[in-house]
């Protein structure tokens, strides 16, 4: 049972993100934070310096992505690391029939954490412990992602290269970005014809959420 203080922190993070969560979701988020704190000294899941701001910097920051794909049920998260945003999204979608979150993480230690956290949280998560290019290259046509996400993984041109096979199937790209978002978009536009929008982050005054509706590679 999650402690009341942790539940209050979960509800506060959701409010900051602009989303509503159930008590069950708040409990899952509280459990996730507890597991992240427990495993972090060994697995280096997030920067230790960010743990004091975990509810705002990590949880609320991840939850806000739900606003940009409110009907999405199948998510693919690239380079999931410690589960941000993947396990946060899974916590919010756990009670929705047909919802699933796929975590792609090549580092076996982090993949082990993702599996154990998902098991304890009882969330609909599948962990693919391999390189992104390998997993996406053999992605089954029977699974149609609604969203492909990545947080703090790579610059936008690289992200588009990794995500493009799923974007071609109709998935929307959701990529939180920092203050360099403008230069990343300018660089990406040299190689890709993009249909996108950007909105300010709800948790970071210098951050933005980039939503990629389509990306077509430009011939050289």
């Amino acid at each position: 049972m999650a402690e009341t203080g942790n539940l209050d922190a979960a509800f506060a993070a959701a409010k900051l993100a602009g989303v509503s969560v159930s008590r069950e979701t708040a409990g899952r988020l509280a459990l996730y934070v507890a597991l992240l704190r427990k495993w972090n000294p060994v697995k280096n899941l997030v920067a230790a310096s960010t743990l004091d701001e975990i509810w705002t910097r990590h949880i609320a920051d991840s939850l806000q992505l739900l606003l940009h794909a409110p009907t999405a049920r199948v998510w693919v998260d690239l380079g999931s690391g410690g589960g941000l945003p993947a396990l946060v999204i899974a916590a919010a979608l756990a009670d929705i029939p047909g919802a699933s979150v796929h975590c792609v993480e090549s580092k076996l230690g982090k993949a082990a954490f993702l599996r154990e956290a998902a098991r304890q949280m009882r969330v609909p998560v599948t962990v693919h412990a391999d390189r992104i290019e390998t997993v996406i290259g053999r992605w089954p046509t029977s699974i149609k992602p609604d969203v492909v996400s990545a947080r703090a993984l790579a610059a936008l041109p690289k992200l588009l290269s990794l995500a493009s096979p799923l974007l071609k199937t109709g998935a929307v790209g959701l990529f939180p970005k920092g203050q360099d978002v403008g230069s990343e978009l300018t660089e990406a536009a040299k190689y890709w014809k993009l249909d996108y929008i950007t909105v300010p982050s709800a948790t970071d005054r210098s951050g933005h959420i980039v939503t990629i509706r389509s990306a077509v590679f430009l011939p050289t």
Side-chain angles (χ1 to χ4, degrees), residues 181-201:
V181 63
S183 60
E184 289 191 31
L185 284 166
T186 298
E187 183 66 18
K190 296 177 182 178
Y191 310 99
W192 299 89
K193 180 181 178 182
L194 300 175
D195 178 8
Y196 71 92
I197 58 172
T198 64
V199 298
S201 168

Side-chain angles (χ1 to χ4, degrees), residues 51-72:
L51 288 176
D52 289 341
E53 303 173 294
I54 191 168
W55 285 105
T56 55
R57 186 161 180 177
H58 294 308
I59 305 304
D61 191 62
S62 296
L63 281 173
Q64 68 177 317
L65 296 183
L66 291 166
L67 296 175
H68 303 283
T71 63

Side-chain angles (χ1 to χ4, degrees), residues 75-197:
W75 291 60
V76 177
D77 188 55
L78 307 180
S80 294
L84 298 160
L87 292 183
V88 175
I89 299 299
L93 300 182
D95 296 325
I96 298 177
S100 62
V101 178
H102 295 263
C103 299
V104 184
E105 175 53 54
S106 63
K107 295 182 179 178
L108 298 183
K110 292 182 177 180
F113 167 76
L114 293 169
R115 289 194 178 100
E116 179 60 16
R119 184 189 69 81
Q120 293 196 38
M121 293 167 67
R122 298 182 180 181
V123 292
V125 164
T126 300
V127 179
H128 305 265
D130 209 334
R131 296 177 69 248
I132 294 171
E133 295 89 342
T134 301
V135 174
I136 301 305
R138 64 186 184 210
W139 193 260
T141 57
S142 59
I143 301 176
K144 299 290 187 182
D146 300 309
V147 169
V148 54
S149 61
R151 182 175 182 264
L153 176 64
L156 196 55
K158 177 64 173 178
L159 286 180
L160 291 169
S161 294
L162 294 171
S164 61
L166 299 184
L167 296 175
K168 289 178 182 177
T169 70
V172 170
L174 287 182
F175 305 123
K177 286 293 173 183
Q179 61 185 3
D180 295 329
V181 63
S183 60
E184 289 191 31
L185 284 166
T186 298
E187 183 66 18
K190 296 177 182 178
Y191 310 99
W192 299 89
K193 180 181 178 182
L194 300 175
D195 178 8
Y196 71 92
I197 58 172

